[in-house]
Amino acid sequence: MAERVNNFPPLPKLLRLKPCFYHNIEEEIPAPHQQLVRKVYILWMMYSGTLCMNVISCIAWWAGGGSAINFGLSLLWLLLSSPCSYTCWFRPLYKAFRADSSFNFMAFFFVFFLQCVLALIQTIGIPGWGTCGWMATVVFFSYNVGSAIVMLITTLLLTLVTVLMALVLVRVHRLYRGGGGSLERAQEEWSTGVWKSAPLRDTGFNTVAQGPSLPQYPAAVPSYPDDSKW
């Protein structure tokens, strides 16, 4: 098989910057879990889109008499949270299912729990935090109804994303525990350095010479419960 070329994020060829990751759910993720990983990827896109909408809402907030600080912070949330969320919690989940890595599962649980807490704070909408959550939106209805309606759209999106994130966290944790995963396995991977050797575990990309195929997963991959009903 030809060498894999990084394809994410998709960038114009005119730029000198090159994609940082290889992203191919159909090729790298075992078939029973492709649907779940794809849904989490869609959730990441929803969160990024909500942050974009939050910038627009903060502009309306500013135009209606709000502080310009919220607009500046909304841009900061978008520029930092969108790429960091992909790198810090989606990629660990992607690698965890790709190579049955308990270490990456634990990294996902830790970071994604913090992401859920952050999303909840953004949904609450503390004034001066740069997000149009419930507190900021409800209060602003008494100042400018038009701006508050635009802010309400972002508030509802943040609420939806937060609920979905909580459901994903519970779902993945049940799936991992049901497959025999544990903290001890993650500690063992850390102590032996197995978590760093993903290319060695994905031997299908290096040894298969004829035609496309899925990567060869370790023989010890647990049989995770079927998630097709989720």
Side-chain angles (χ1 to χ4, degrees):
M1 184 180 294
E3 181 181 357
R4 293 177 297 170
V5 178
N6 291 342
N7 57 5
F8 191 91
L11 299 172
K13 295 182 179 181
L14 297 177
L15 296 179
R16 290 181 176 271
L17 299 176
K18 301 299 181 182
C20 302
F21 306 101
Y22 182 77
H23 180 101
N24 192 323
I25 295 176
E26 289 75 14
E27 182 180 290
E28 292 197 302
I29 305 300
H33 311 303
Q34 289 181 5
Q35 183 181 15
L36 176 57
V37 175
R38 193 175 292 110
K39 287 180 178 179
V40 179
Y41 177 62
I42 293 174
L43 178 60
W44 171 76
M45 291 192 293
M46 286 180 59
Y47 180 61
S48 299
T50 299
L51 293 178
C52 291
M53 185 63 202
N54 182 61
V55 173
I56 298 174
S57 296
C58 283
I59 293 176
W61 191 0
W62 185 13
S67 174
I69 295 177
N70 291 306
F71 170 68
L73 290 176
S74 68
L75 284 176
L76 188 63
W77 282 122
L78 175 62
L79 295 177
L80 291 181
S81 294
S82 183
C84 288
S85 57
Y86 179 89
T87 304
C88 296
W89 56 259
F90 176 75
R91 286 301 298 184
L93 180 69
Y94 185 95
K95 291 187 289 185
F97 278 115
R98 182 184 66 185
D100 180 36
S101 171
S102 289
F103 177 84
N104 280 296
F105 270 115
M106 290 300 169
F108 166 78
F109 292 139
F110 176 74
V111 178
F112 197 65
F113 174 76
L114 297 180
Q115 172 67 83
C116 290
V117 173
L118 176 61
L120 179 60
I121 295 174
Q122 292 174 328
T123 302
I124 294 173
I126 302 173
W129 277 57
T131 55
C132 300
W134 285 105
M135 288 179 59
T137 301
V138 171
V139 170
F140 210 70
F141 265 102
S142 60
Y143 293 93
N144 190 305
V145 176
S147 296
I149 291 175
V150 178
M151 295 167 62
L152 182 60
I153 297 175
T154 296
T155 301
L156 294 174
L157 289 174
L158 282 171
T159 303
L160 175 62
V161 167
T162 301
V163 172
L164 291 177
M165 284 182 175
L167 292 175
V168 164
L169 183 61
V170 173
R171 177 57 183 163
V172 175
H173 183 264
R174 288 180 178 177
L175 191 68
Y176 176 66
R177 296 294 293 177
S182 64
L183 179 61
E184 288 73 19
R185 285 186 57 193
Q187 292 174 335
E188 182 181 354
E189 287 187 12
W190 173 264
S191 60
T192 58
V194 174
W195 66 278
K196 297 186 295 185
S197 58
L200 297 178
R201 302 180 77 180
D202 296 341
T203 54
F205 290 114
N206 301 319
T207 60
V208 179
Q210 297 180 353
S213 66
L214 289 172
Q216 301 297 316
Y217 297 95
V221 174
S223 178
Y224 293 112
D226 184 17
D227 60 0
S228 59
K229 296 181 180 180
W230 181 67

PDB file of all heavy atoms in Angstrom, residues 188-212:
ATOM      1  N   GLU A 188      -0.147   0.047  32.469  1.00  0.00           N
ATOM      2  CA  GLU A 188       0.785  -0.905  31.873  1.00  0.00           C
ATOM      3  C   GLU A 188       1.307  -0.403  30.530  1.00  0.00           C
ATOM      4  O   GLU A 188       2.501  -0.516  30.229  1.00  0.00           O
ATOM      5  CB  GLU A 188       0.095  -2.255  31.700  1.00  0.00           C
ATOM      6  CG  GLU A 188       1.000  -3.339  31.122  1.00  0.00           C
ATOM      7  CD  GLU A 188       0.281  -4.658  30.941  1.00  0.00           C
ATOM      8  OE1 GLU A 188      -0.893  -4.756  31.371  1.00  0.00           O
ATOM      9  OE2 GLU A 188       0.885  -5.569  30.352  1.00  0.00           O
ATOM     10  N   GLU A 189       0.409   0.172  29.716  1.00  0.00           N
ATOM     11  CA  GLU A 189       0.848   0.731  28.437  1.00  0.00           C
ATOM     12  C   GLU A 189       1.828   1.872  28.655  1.00  0.00           C
ATOM     13  O   GLU A 189       2.798   2.017  27.901  1.00  0.00           O
ATOM     14  CB  GLU A 189      -0.360   1.218  27.640  1.00  0.00           C
ATOM     15  CG  GLU A 189      -1.220   0.115  27.055  1.00  0.00           C
ATOM     16  CD  GLU A 189      -2.306   0.652  26.140  1.00  0.00           C
ATOM     17  OE1 GLU A 189      -2.238   1.848  25.788  1.00  0.00           O
ATOM     18  OE2 GLU A 189      -3.207  -0.110  25.784  1.00  0.00           O
ATOM     19  N   TRP A 190       1.580   2.687  29.673  1.00  0.00           N
ATOM     20  CA  TRP A 190       2.468   3.808  29.955  1.00  0.00           C
ATOM     21  C   TRP A 190       3.845   3.319  30.390  1.00  0.00           C
ATOM     22  O   TRP A 190       4.869   3.820  29.925  1.00  0.00           O
ATOM     23  CB  TRP A 190       1.850   4.692  31.035  1.00  0.00           C
ATOM     24  CG  TRP A 190       2.766   5.777  31.520  1.00  0.00           C
ATOM     25  CD1 TRP A 190       3.566   5.754  32.621  1.00  0.00           C
ATOM     26  CD2 TRP A 190       2.990   7.049  30.894  1.00  0.00           C
ATOM     27  NE1 TRP A 190       4.266   6.921  32.736  1.00  0.00           N
ATOM     28  CE2 TRP A 190       3.943   7.737  31.695  1.00  0.00           C
ATOM     29  CE3 TRP A 190       2.492   7.668  29.757  1.00  0.00           C
ATOM     30  CZ2 TRP A 190       4.383   9.020  31.378  1.00  0.00           C
ATOM     31  CZ3 TRP A 190       2.934   8.948  29.442  1.00  0.00           C
ATOM     32  CH2 TRP A 190       3.867   9.605  30.237  1.00  0.00           C
ATOM     33  N   SER A 191       3.875   2.334  31.278  1.00  0.00           N
ATOM     34  CA  SER A 191       5.152   1.847  31.811  1.00  0.00           C
ATOM     35  C   SER A 191       5.974   1.102  30.760  1.00  0.00           C
ATOM     36  O   SER A 191       7.203   1.154  30.768  1.00  0.00           O
ATOM     37  CB  SER A 191       4.906   0.932  33.019  1.00  0.00           C
ATOM     38  OG  SER A 191       4.126  -0.191  32.645  1.00  0.00           O
ATOM     39  N   THR A 192       5.303   0.429  29.839  1.00  0.00           N
ATOM     40  CA  THR A 192       6.022  -0.327  28.809  1.00  0.00           C
ATOM     41  C   THR A 192       6.290   0.491  27.550  1.00  0.00           C
ATOM     42  O   THR A 192       7.055   0.062  26.692  1.00  0.00           O
ATOM     43  CB  THR A 192       5.223  -1.582  28.423  1.00  0.00           C
ATOM     44  OG1 THR A 192       3.921  -1.198  27.949  1.00  0.00           O
ATOM     45  CG2 THR A 192       5.074  -2.506  29.617  1.00  0.00           C
ATOM     46  N   GLY A 193       5.652   1.659  27.448  1.00  0.00           N
ATOM     47  CA  GLY A 193       5.855   2.502  26.270  1.00  0.00           C
ATOM     48  C   GLY A 193       5.081   2.057  25.050  1.00  0.00           C
ATOM     49  O   GLY A 193       5.329   2.548  23.947  1.00  0.00           O
ATOM     50  N   VAL A 194       4.125   1.125  25.235  1.00  0.00           N
ATOM     51  CA  VAL A 194       3.352   0.626  24.096  1.00  0.00           C
ATOM     52  C   VAL A 194       2.505   1.734  23.472  1.00  0.00           C
ATOM     53  O   VAL A 194       2.280   1.744  22.267  1.00  0.00           O
ATOM     54  CB  VAL A 194       2.453  -0.547  24.544  1.00  0.00           C
ATOM     55  CG1 VAL A 194       1.538  -1.000  23.417  1.00  0.00           C
ATOM     56  CG2 VAL A 194       3.315  -1.705  25.006  1.00  0.00           C
ATOM     57  N   TRP A 195       2.061   2.693  24.301  1.00  0.00           N
ATOM     58  CA  TRP A 195       1.182   3.756  23.793  1.00  0.00           C
ATOM     59  C   TRP A 195       1.868   4.621  22.737  1.00  0.00           C
ATOM     60  O   TRP A 195       1.202   5.272  21.929  1.00  0.00           O
ATOM     61  CB  TRP A 195       0.732   4.642  24.954  1.00  0.00           C
ATOM     62  CG  TRP A 195       1.841   5.426  25.584  1.00  0.00           C
ATOM     63  CD1 TRP A 195       2.735   4.992  26.514  1.00  0.00           C
ATOM     64  CD2 TRP A 195       2.191   6.789  25.311  1.00  0.00           C
ATOM     65  NE1 TRP A 195       3.621   5.983  26.852  1.00  0.00           N
ATOM     66  CE2 TRP A 195       3.303   7.099  26.126  1.00  0.00           C
ATOM     67  CE3 TRP A 195       1.675   7.766  24.461  1.00  0.00           C
ATOM     68  CZ2 TRP A 195       3.910   8.354  26.117  1.00  0.00           C
ATOM     69  CZ3 TRP A 195       2.263   9.020  24.444  1.00  0.00           C
ATOM     70  CH2 TRP A 195       3.372   9.302  25.263  1.00  0.00           C
ATOM     71  N   LYS A 196       3.222   4.606  22.711  1.00  0.00           N
ATOM     72  CA  LYS A 196       3.948   5.410  21.728  1.00  0.00           C
ATOM     73  C   LYS A 196       4.214   4.675  20.429  1.00  0.00           C
ATOM     74  O   LYS A 196       4.710   5.268  19.474  1.00  0.00           O
ATOM     75  CB  LYS A 196       5.297   5.844  22.322  1.00  0.00           C
ATOM     76  CG  LYS A 196       5.175   6.739  23.536  1.00  0.00           C
ATOM     77  CD  LYS A 196       6.527   7.248  23.971  1.00  0.00           C
ATOM     78  CE  LYS A 196       7.423   6.116  24.454  1.00  0.00           C
ATOM     79  NZ  LYS A 196       8.714   6.634  24.987  1.00  0.00           N
ATOM     80  N   SER A 197       3.897   3.372  20.353  1.00  0.00           N
ATOM     81  CA  SER A 197       4.298   2.568  19.203  1.00  0.00           C
ATOM     82  C   SER A 197       3.126   2.219  18.306  1.00  0.00           C
ATOM     83  O   SER A 197       3.025   1.097  17.844  1.00  0.00           O
ATOM     84  CB  SER A 197       4.972   1.285  19.687  1.00  0.00           C
ATOM     85  OG  SER A 197       4.094   0.548  20.520  1.00  0.00           O
ATOM     86  N   ALA A 198       2.231   3.188  18.065  1.00  0.00           N
ATOM     87  CA  ALA A 198       1.082   2.927  17.205  1.00  0.00           C
ATOM     88  C   ALA A 198       1.481   2.469  15.809  1.00  0.00           C
ATOM     89  O   ALA A 198       0.874   1.562  15.249  1.00  0.00           O
ATOM     90  CB  ALA A 198       0.202   4.163  17.111  1.00  0.00           C
ATOM     91  N   PRO A 199       2.553   3.048  15.169  1.00  0.00           N
ATOM     92  CA  PRO A 199       2.931   2.563  13.837  1.00  0.00           C
ATOM     93  C   PRO A 199       3.317   1.095  13.822  1.00  0.00           C
ATOM     94  O   PRO A 199       3.083   0.395  12.855  1.00  0.00           O
ATOM     95  CB  PRO A 199       4.117   3.458  13.466  1.00  0.00           C
ATOM     96  CG  PRO A 199       3.904   4.699  14.256  1.00  0.00           C
ATOM     97  CD  PRO A 199       3.304   4.234  15.560  1.00  0.00           C
ATOM     98  N   LEU A 200       3.909   0.591  14.934  1.00  0.00           N
ATOM     99  CA  LEU A 200       4.281  -0.814  14.987  1.00  0.00           C
ATOM    100  C   LEU A 200       3.059  -1.706  15.123  1.00  0.00           C
ATOM    101  O   LEU A 200       3.046  -2.826  14.649  1.00  0.00           O
ATOM    102  CB  LEU A 200       5.227  -1.053  16.176  1.00  0.00           C
ATOM    103  CG  LEU A 200       6.564  -0.330  16.130  1.00  0.00           C
ATOM    104  CD1 LEU A 200       7.363  -0.624  17.391  1.00  0.00           C
ATOM    105  CD2 LEU A 200       7.344  -0.738  14.894  1.00  0.00           C
ATOM    106  N   ARG A 201       2.017  -1.180  15.756  1.00  0.00           N
ATOM    107  CA  ARG A 201       0.818  -1.975  15.956  1.00  0.00           C
ATOM    108  C   ARG A 201      -0.022  -1.996  14.688  1.00  0.00           C
ATOM    109  O   ARG A 201      -0.723  -2.947  14.424  1.00  0.00           O
ATOM    110  CB  ARG A 201       0.017  -1.416  17.129  1.00  0.00           C
ATOM    111  CG  ARG A 201       0.802  -1.375  18.417  1.00  0.00           C
ATOM    112  CD  ARG A 201      -0.007  -0.813  19.547  1.00  0.00           C
ATOM    113  NE  ARG A 201      -0.944  -1.803  20.051  1.00  0.00           N
ATOM    114  CZ  ARG A 201      -1.769  -1.561  21.052  1.00  0.00           C
ATOM    115  NH1 ARG A 201      -1.786  -0.384  21.627  1.00  0.00           N
ATOM    116  NH2 ARG A 201      -2.593  -2.506  21.473  1.00  0.00           N
ATOM    117  N   ASP A 202       0.006  -0.923  13.911  1.00  0.00           N
ATOM    118  CA  ASP A 202      -0.749  -0.865  12.663  1.00  0.00           C
ATOM    119  C   ASP A 202       0.059  -1.518  11.554  1.00  0.00           C
ATOM    120  O   ASP A 202       0.419  -0.898  10.558  1.00  0.00           O
ATOM    121  CB  ASP A 202      -1.074   0.586  12.292  1.00  0.00           C
ATOM    122  CG  ASP A 202      -1.981   1.234  13.321  1.00  0.00           C
ATOM    123  OD1 ASP A 202      -2.621   0.491  14.079  1.00  0.00           O
ATOM    124  OD2 ASP A 202      -2.028   2.469  13.362  1.00  0.00           O
ATOM    125  N   THR A 203       0.392  -2.776  11.699  1.00  0.00           N
ATOM    126  CA  THR A 203       1.298  -3.442  10.766  1.00  0.00           C
ATOM    127  C   THR A 203       0.696  -3.613   9.388  1.00  0.00           C
ATOM    128  O   THR A 203       1.409  -3.826   8.424  1.00  0.00           O
ATOM    129  CB  THR A 203       1.682  -4.820  11.320  1.00  0.00           C
ATOM    130  OG1 THR A 203       0.482  -5.560  11.606  1.00  0.00           O
ATOM    131  CG2 THR A 203       2.482  -4.676  12.605  1.00  0.00           C
ATOM    132  N   GLY A 204      -0.611  -3.499   9.280  1.00  0.00           N
ATOM    133  CA  GLY A 204      -1.232  -3.681   7.978  1.00  0.00           C
ATOM    134  C   GLY A 204      -0.803  -2.644   6.977  1.00  0.00           C
ATOM    135  O   GLY A 204      -0.810  -2.870   5.774  1.00  0.00           O
ATOM    136  N   PHE A 205      -0.392  -1.472   7.449  1.00  0.00           N
ATOM    137  CA  PHE A 205       0.015  -0.417   6.536  1.00  0.00           C
ATOM    138  C   PHE A 205       1.437  -0.631   6.033  1.00  0.00           C
ATOM    139  O   PHE A 205       1.856  -0.025   5.073  1.00  0.00           O
ATOM    140  CB  PHE A 205      -0.071   0.942   7.229  1.00  0.00           C
ATOM    141  CG  PHE A 205      -1.477   1.385   7.496  1.00  0.00           C
ATOM    142  CD1 PHE A 205      -1.941   1.505   8.787  1.00  0.00           C
ATOM    143  CD2 PHE A 205      -2.342   1.659   6.455  1.00  0.00           C
ATOM    144  CE1 PHE A 205      -3.241   1.905   9.038  1.00  0.00           C
ATOM    145  CE2 PHE A 205      -3.636   2.056   6.696  1.00  0.00           C
ATOM    146  CZ  PHE A 205      -4.084   2.182   7.996  1.00  0.00           C
ATOM    147  N   ASN A 206       2.192  -1.474   6.740  1.00  0.00           N
ATOM    148  CA  ASN A 206       3.589  -1.648   6.372  1.00  0.00           C
ATOM    149  C   ASN A 206       3.887  -2.984   5.713  1.00  0.00           C
ATOM    150  O   ASN A 206       4.876  -3.112   4.999  1.00  0.00           O
ATOM    151  CB  ASN A 206       4.476  -1.518   7.627  1.00  0.00           C
ATOM    152  CG  ASN A 206       4.309  -0.167   8.291  1.00  0.00           C
ATOM    153  OD1 ASN A 206       4.223   0.837   7.602  1.00  0.00           O
ATOM    154  ND2 ASN A 206       4.275  -0.136   9.620  1.00  0.00           N
ATOM    155  N   THR A 207       3.038  -3.978   5.960  1.00  0.00           N
ATOM    156  CA  THR A 207       3.368  -5.304   5.484  1.00  0.00           C
ATOM    157  C   THR A 207       2.502  -5.778   4.337  1.00  0.00           C
ATOM    158  O   THR A 207       2.876  -6.702   3.622  1.00  0.00           O
ATOM    159  CB  THR A 207       3.245  -6.316   6.630  1.00  0.00           C
ATOM    160  OG1 THR A 207       1.897  -6.314   7.118  1.00  0.00           O
ATOM    161  CG2 THR A 207       4.180  -5.947   7.779  1.00  0.00           C
ATOM    162  N   VAL A 208       1.331  -5.171   4.168  1.00  0.00           N
ATOM    163  CA  VAL A 208       0.439  -5.614   3.109  1.00  0.00           C
ATOM    164  C   VAL A 208       0.855  -4.944   1.809  1.00  0.00           C
ATOM    165  O   VAL A 208       0.880  -3.733   1.706  1.00  0.00           O
ATOM    166  CB  VAL A 208      -1.036  -5.267   3.435  1.00  0.00           C
ATOM    167  CG1 VAL A 208      -1.932  -5.714   2.297  1.00  0.00           C
ATOM    168  CG2 VAL A 208      -1.435  -5.947   4.735  1.00  0.00           C
ATOM    169  N   ALA A 209       1.181  -5.741   0.837  1.00  0.00           N
ATOM    170  CA  ALA A 209       1.700  -5.180  -0.408  1.00  0.00           C
ATOM    171  C   ALA A 209       0.671  -5.176  -1.520  1.00  0.00           C
ATOM    172  O   ALA A 209       0.878  -4.530  -2.538  1.00  0.00           O
ATOM    173  CB  ALA A 209       2.924  -5.982  -0.854  1.00  0.00           C
ATOM    174  N   GLN A 210      -0.410  -5.893  -1.363  1.00  0.00           N
ATOM    175  CA  GLN A 210      -1.356  -6.010  -2.461  1.00  0.00           C
ATOM    176  C   GLN A 210      -2.715  -5.478  -2.025  1.00  0.00           C
ATOM    177  O   GLN A 210      -3.354  -6.029  -1.134  1.00  0.00           O
ATOM    178  CB  GLN A 210      -1.514  -7.470  -2.879  1.00  0.00           C
ATOM    179  CG  GLN A 210      -0.228  -8.079  -3.419  1.00  0.00           C
ATOM    180  CD  GLN A 210      -0.434  -9.531  -3.810  1.00  0.00           C
ATOM    181  OE1 GLN A 210      -1.482 -10.103  -3.564  1.00  0.00           O
ATOM    182  NE2 GLN A 210       0.572 -10.104  -4.436  1.00  0.00           N
ATOM    183  N   GLY A 211      -3.141  -4.394  -2.693  1.00  0.00           N
ATOM    184  CA  GLY A 211      -4.495  -3.879  -2.515  1.00  0.00           C
ATOM    185  C   GLY A 211      -4.725  -3.256  -1.161  1.00  0.00           C
ATOM    186  O   GLY A 211      -3.978  -3.458  -0.217  1.00  0.00           O
ATOM    187  N   PRO A 212      -5.799  -2.440  -1.043  1.00  0.00           N
ATOM    188  CA  PRO A 212      -6.115  -1.787   0.217  1.00  0.00           C
ATOM    189  C   PRO A 212      -6.687  -2.772   1.222  1.00  0.00           C
ATOM    190  O   PRO A 212      -7.386  -3.712   0.869  1.00  0.00           O
ATOM    191  CB  PRO A 212      -7.167  -0.745  -0.190  1.00  0.00           C
ATOM    192  CG  PRO A 212      -7.815  -1.343  -1.397  1.00  0.00           C
ATOM    193  CD  PRO A 212      -6.740  -2.089  -2.113  1.00  0.00           C
TER     194      PRO A 212
END
